Amino acid sequence: MNGSDSVVVALDVGGTGMKCALVRPDGTVHHEERHPTRAERGPEAVTETILGVAGALAGKARADGLTPVATGIAVPGVVDEHNGVAVWSANVGFRDVPLRDLAVQRLGMPAALGHDVRVGALAEARLGAGRGRRHVLFVAIGTGIAGGLVIDGAGYPGAHGAAGELGHVVVRPGGTPCGCGLRGCLEAEASAKAVGRRYAELSGEPTATAFDVATRAARGEELARRVWQDAVEALADGLITAQALYDVGIVVLGGGLAEAGDELLGPVRAAVAQRVTFHRSPEIVRAELGDTAGCLGSALLALDSLKETP
Ligand SMILES: [Zn+2]
């Protein structure tokens, strides 16, 4: 499988789009393409699209003189990686879909199924900003917030495929209602969506995004600065909780909001430093792989599964 002509068919399926690639065993990308998910068609049609796109990519690999050796698929929601089942996903509509076995049947080669953020963590830990580090926490901040813990290059899925839900750690008891039913979850206080919504409510500008808030805060606008700082403080509360539990060497911040760069990183580092008591401070850095992390990570997961079952 380490032959120079081997590639993995890798897909990262999101609520709106799929990032797909042919990835070599060393993590370099041979070919990339994107497709709309069109989740409104329902889970059966989405599954059929996934299998069709994966099959076409395997065909493309062969046409290029390469040998597809495995399929890696990443999906959002609750994912049972051990059994290869997409258990639940709000934005794609999966309910107990045995995606791994379906891919094996359709493509005739081994397959692995992973959680989008946890495989993104795997990619950042092994190929991106966490390279060479043993204990890495990746936190994706976008519409929601989720984390992935990687220890010695292996992701930690948890007993039920639900580990890393940092977004639903309550940081503001009684605070903003969260989609999960609780109040004051980190995701409800500090996601890009939460920041945009809070600013829109207070400013009366319905179209303001988290990115606008970051930019205006950096320029010194008082309201934006206050909303941004509230989110940063909530994020720091979440991160210091994670540090108390995991004691990682490095925290890699990814997802849309991390694109704000130093406007996010500087204040977050300062707010975490203020909360450090017995903890050992993690280094806090920005992700390096952008939105390709999930796709690369699903390829890594597939390659790992080949090693486990020779
Ligand atoms: Zn929640």
Side-chain angles (χ1 to χ4, degrees), residues 142-159:
T143 312
I145 294 182
L149 178 66
V150 181
I151 301 168
D152 289 332
Y156 173 73

Side-chain angles (χ1 to χ4, degrees), residues 167-168 178-182 185 187:
H168 301 287
C178 179
C180 76
L182 296 175
C185 290
E187 176 169 306

Side-chain angles (χ1 to χ4, degrees), residues 72-276:
I73 303 171
V75 297
V78 177
V79 182
D80 179 346
E81 290 175 5
H82 184 73
N83 293 306
V85 176
V87 176
W88 180 86
S89 161
N91 51 5
V92 186
F94 292 133
R95 298 286 182 277
D96 293 317
V97 179
L99 261 181
R100 183 185 65 199
D101 288 351
L102 291 171
V104 170
Q105 281 163 21
R106 177 72 68 94
L107 297 162
M109 58 184 175
L113 181 72
H115 177 267
D116 57 353
V117 175
R118 288 199 300 266
V119 300
L122 201 60
E124 283 291 343
R126 280 160 53 176
L127 304 171
R131 275 189 315 278
R133 307 295 289 266
R134 291 189 59 200
H135 305 91
V136 181
L137 178 67
F138 171 69
V139 179
I141 312 167
T143 312
I145 294 182
L149 178 66
V150 181
I151 301 168
D152 289 332
Y156 173 73
H160 313 94
E165 293 292 353
L166 187 63
H168 301 287
V169 167
V170 174
V171 292
R172 296 289 177 268
T176 310
C178 179
C180 76
L182 296 175
R183 279 179 169 269
C185 290
L186 179 57
E187 176 169 306
E189 304 290 342
S191 66
K193 195 172 155 189
V195 169
R197 193 178 48 207
R198 178 80 41 84
Y199 183 82
E201 278 166 16
L202 296 173
S203 69
E205 254 184 82
T207 58
T209 65
F211 208 81
D212 296 331
V213 180
T215 312
R216 290 175 196 185
R219 271 198 245 123
E221 189 204 293
E222 179 50 31
L223 179 61
R225 205 196 55 74
R226 218 170 67 219
V227 169
W228 189 248
Q229 192 58 31
D230 283 350
V232 163
E233 300 287 341
L235 191 56
D237 283 329
L239 292 178
I240 203 71
T241 301
Q243 186 64 1
L245 293 172
Y246 300 141
D247 183 31
V248 294
I250 187 166
V251 173
V252 178
L253 298 183
L257 201 56
E259 301 293 317
D262 290 344
E263 279 132 44
L264 179 68
L265 280 184
V268 167
R269 285 185 187 124
V272 169
Q274 277 173 1
R275 288 160 171 78
V276 166

